[in-house]
Amino acid sequence: MFERFTEAARGAVLGATAVAAELDSPVIGTEHVLVALAGEPGVAGEALRAAGVDPDGLRADLAARHGSDDELPG
């Protein structure tokens, strides 16, 4: 399946997998993808950071909410 993904898409999925594992999350969710994208050097990461999205801040929010069903703040 990954052979059909671009290199950037594979990187985002692998990054999200790493973030989920780092946070001991049993599933990989969109929040993990967001953290991974925000830390990437490409266009998506640059756009997120320009909008004030900080990958370390997102990661800290996720860690604080680990085990909670609450959504991340807007």
Side-chain angles (χ1 to χ4, degrees), residues 9 12 29-32 38 41 44 46 48-49 56 58 61 68-69 74:
T30 54
E31 64 275 20
H32 302 112
E46 290 173 13
L48 287 167
R49 289 187 301 277
D56 294 329
L58 287 174
D61 285 346
S68 172
D69 288 334

Side-chain angles (χ1 to χ4, degrees), residues 20 24 28 32 34 42 52 54 56 68 70:
D24 294 322
I28 301 166
H32 302 112
L34 182 63
D54 173 46
D56 294 329
S68 172
D70 294 340

